[in-house]
């Protein structure tokens, strides 16, 4: 039986268990660079037993940042800090990934704690497939030309090269949560009349081209994850059926794992959270597309995490906020599961 603590090999990368630290923005970077905060924060989760740590949304372009405090991988001088962070996390047994991101129309030019006092949110540099704002009080983004599309894809290429150079084990492409790639996928935000809008084939084109670029720059031995919003919770939005079709295509293109989140294509959406609420998406995509999946969303107990993996509903469970509450979550869950050898030697007297 597959267990939450069963190791898994993806393209030869060994991941010690199925517990993934979900990507979470820390808003602690300086000019895109890794700071001491990132070292302490991520390395603690490696010591705490995470199988895979996926670094927060890391901008492939300066104008694609969710905030000016995002990590960046849009210049060569960002690589050293990332490489040091990767090295330390690996030293403590975790595999490490980077989430490559572009915020599109959700880019913002100020720190997140200023959001609530802003009359108009967004960035004057924001670009998107169509000139439609994310919400009522948001800047209208500039519609991307085909040249803009090629330029952004060039930035993804450079970011992938830098991620390989920094020594990451895996790369995740952020195609969820209403950011640039999701904006191309969803008919709600993509009203283009050219080859990048309209039909399903056209809306997925931007992502597929990014995936091909990524695969062409990554060694065969390096796995590729894609995070999607499996459904939009709005009329006329992206559907779960489209996610299944997309997953089949991505698998053929060399994507190894579909990370199944949901929603956030518009500001005003009925988004209900409860334990395991996105697991059915991971389960259906896994079953119908025959691809490895990662479930995420309020997976806060060992029992739920184990149920998801052992019943074959997903191959990985990504943990977000519970990992912010407890860096040693996998060690605690291992105790519950009776799995030995997870407690760091230095901490044994406490267990
Ligand atoms: C502080 C914070 C920052 C986040 N940043 C990102 C991010 O950079 N990329 C991403 O895909 N999701 C991000 N998320 C979403 C999480 O990865 C996760 O999908 C979500 O929190 C649901 O999982 P949970 O219920 O275990 O927290 C963030 C969530 C939180 C709480």
């Amino acid at each position: 039986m597959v267990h939450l603590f069963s190791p898994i090999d993806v393209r030869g990368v060994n991941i010690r268990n199925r517990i993934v630290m979900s990507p979470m923005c820390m808003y602690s970077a300086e000019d895109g660079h890794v700071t001491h905060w990132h070292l302490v924060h991520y390395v603690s989760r490696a010591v705490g037993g995470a199988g895979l740590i996926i670094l927060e949304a890391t901008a492939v372009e300066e104008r694609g940042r969710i905030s000016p405090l995002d990590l960046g991988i849009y210049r060569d001088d960002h690589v050293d800090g990332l490489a040091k962070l990767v090295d330390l996390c690996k030293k403590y047994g975790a595999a490490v990934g980077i989430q490559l991101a572009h915020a599109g129309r959700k880019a913002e030019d100020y720190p997140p704690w200023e959001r609530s006092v802003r009359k108009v949110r967004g960035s004057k540099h924001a670009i998107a497939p169509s000139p439609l704002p994310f919400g009522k009080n948001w800047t209208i983004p500039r519609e991307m030309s085909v040249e803009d599309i090629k330029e952004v894809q060039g930035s993804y290429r450079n970011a992938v090269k830098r991620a390989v150079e920094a020594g990451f084990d895996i790369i995740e492409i952020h195609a969820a949560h209403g950011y640039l790639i999701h904006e191309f996928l969803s008919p709600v935000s993509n009203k283009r009349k050219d080859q990048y809008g309209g039909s399903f084939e056209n809306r997925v084109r931007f992502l597929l081209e990014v995936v091909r670029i990524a695969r062409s720059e990554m060694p065969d031995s390096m796995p590729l994850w894609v995070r999607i919003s499996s459904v939009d919770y709005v009329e006329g939005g992206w559907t779960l059926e489209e996610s299944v079709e997309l997953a089949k295509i991505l698998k053929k293109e060399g994507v190894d794992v579909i990370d199944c989140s949901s929603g956030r294509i518009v500001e005003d959406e009925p988004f209900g959270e409860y334990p395991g609420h996105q697991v059915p998406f991971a389960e259906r995509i896994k079953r119908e597309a025959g691809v490895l999946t990662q479930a995420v969303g309020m997976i806060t107990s060992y029992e739920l995490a184990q149920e998801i993996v052992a019943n074959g509903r997903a191959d990985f469970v990504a943990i977000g906020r519970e990992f912010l509450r407890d860096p040693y979550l996998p060690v605690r869950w291992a105790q519950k599961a009776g799995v030995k050898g997870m407690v760091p030697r230095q901490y044994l007297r406490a267990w």
Side-chain angles (χ1 to χ4, degrees), residues 21-252:
M21 181 180 185
S22 203
M24 284 179 285
C25 290
M26 286 290 106
Y27 307 113
S28 301
E30 287 167 12
D31 192 23
H33 289 284
V34 166
T35 62
H36 285 157
W37 176 267
H38 299 99
L39 295 176
V40 171
H41 170 70
Y42 288 111
V43 178
S44 300
R45 274 72 191 177
V47 172
L52 170 66
I53 293 171
I54 305 183
L55 259 58
E56 63 200 79
T58 302
V60 301
E61 286 196 334
E62 195 166 356
R63 66 180 164 181
R65 294 184 296 180
I66 299 166
S67 89
L69 300 170
D70 291 14
L71 279 181
I73 189 159
Y74 49 84
R75 287 199 315 263
D76 289 342
D77 58 87
H78 289 136
V79 173
D80 275 358
L82 291 167
K84 183 175 174 198
L85 178 53
V86 170
D87 191 44
L88 279 173
C89 289
K90 283 188 185 176
K91 192 167 175 203
Y92 295 105
V96 198
I98 184 165
Q99 188 185 50
L100 298 183
H102 193 300
R105 68 180 184 177
K106 287 174 78 176
E108 297 184 70
D109 291 334
Y110 40 83
W113 46 90
E114 279 183 26
R115 287 174 182 168
S116 57
V117 298
R118 289 266 154 181
K119 281 207 186 72
V120 181
R121 285 181 61 178
S123 162
K124 54 181 181 298
H125 307 293
I127 51 171
S130 299
L132 299 166
F134 173 61
K136 217 167 45 208
N137 298 318
W138 280 74
T139 314
I140 296 175
R142 181 169 67 75
E143 180 172 15
M144 291 167 78
S145 64
V146 172
E147 290 70 47
D148 290 324
I149 288 176
K150 297 299 164 198
E151 187 187 337
V152 173
Q153 290 178 336
S155 302
Y156 273 97
R157 183 183 297 281
N158 292 334
V160 169
K161 284 186 191 167
R162 294 185 187 113
V164 172
E165 192 190 329
F168 285 98
D169 294 296
I170 73 119
I171 289 177
E172 173 166 278
I173 293 175
H174 196 351
H177 301 168
Y179 298 114
L180 186 67
I181 298 183
H182 186 189
E183 289 160 22
F184 272 93
L185 294 175
S186 176
V188 170
S189 44
N190 183 348
K191 303 289 182 194
R192 297 178 75 93
K193 301 274 181 266
D194 65 0
Q195 69 271 35
Y196 289 97
S199 64
F200 170 80
E201 286 69 26
N202 284 354
R203 283 179 284 117
V204 303
R205 191 181 308 281
F206 182 83
L207 170 59
L208 287 192
E209 289 175 351
V210 169
V211 163
R212 285 183 194 136
I213 288 170
R215 266 284 47 122
S216 73
E217 298 295 344
M218 293 163 71
D220 278 351
S221 56
M222 189 177 191
L224 181 58
W225 262 235
V226 173
R227 173 168 274 199
I228 59 169
S229 279
S230 311
V231 290
D232 288 339
Y233 299 105
V234 280
E235 198 60 34
W238 177 260
T239 64
L240 185 53
E241 288 67 34
E242 288 181 304
S243 289
V244 171
E245 284 318 299
L246 174 64
K248 289 179 187 166
I249 299 169
L250 291 176
K251 186 185 174 191
K252 284 202 198 108

Side-chain angles (χ1 to χ4, degrees), residues 273-309:
E273 279 188 292
Y274 49 88
H277 65 114
Q278 295 170 145
V279 176
F281 307 144
E283 185 173 14
R284 179 152 167 210
I285 292 169
K286 178 176 167 62
R287 188 175 63 240
E288 294 187 16
V291 64
L292 300 180
T293 59
Q294 179 164 297
V296 62
M298 286 193 73
I299 303 168
T300 54
S301 71
Y302 161 69
E303 288 76 12
L304 179 56
Q306 166 69 355
E307 185 274 326
I308 293 165
V309 173

